[in-house]
Amino acid sequence: MAAILGLWILMYLLDANRANDLVQFIHDVARWLAGWSHDLFTFDENWARVVAGYGLAAVVYLFIGHAVANRLRRY
């Protein structure tokens, strides 16, 4: 999940072609995954909103994934 969100941030910052099907798919999945944090921050710059909103979701998913992996490793 964090990889998809990171990929979307990278595609956004590099100004990927939004008409491309792969770019559109990554954007749709990332928007769904970060639905709770997408417009949480209101920076003036659009790129800062994308990095903060999607980046926060990626960090949260990384922490959750790490915690689940630690729990599974103990069993």
Side-chain angles (χ1 to χ4, degrees), residues 7-73:
L7 185 59
W8 169 244
I9 292 170
L10 184 64
M11 286 181 170
Y12 182 84
L13 292 176
L14 295 175
D15 199 26
N17 180 7
R18 301 251 177 119
N20 184 295
D21 290 337
L22 177 64
V23 174
Q24 188 61 43
F25 174 75
I26 296 294
H27 180 242
D28 291 342
V29 172
R31 188 169 181 99
W32 184 80
L33 287 171
W36 58 272
S37 69
H38 174 64
D39 283 331
L40 190 63
F41 301 102
T42 56
F43 295 111
D44 290 335
E45 298 293 327
N46 224 8
W47 67 268
R49 266 186 254 152
V50 169
V51 170
Y54 289 100
L56 175 65
V59 169
V60 168
Y61 286 130
L62 280 174
F63 280 127
I64 291 171
H66 186 68
V68 169
N70 280 340
R71 286 283 192 186
L72 291 175
R73 191 175 343 141

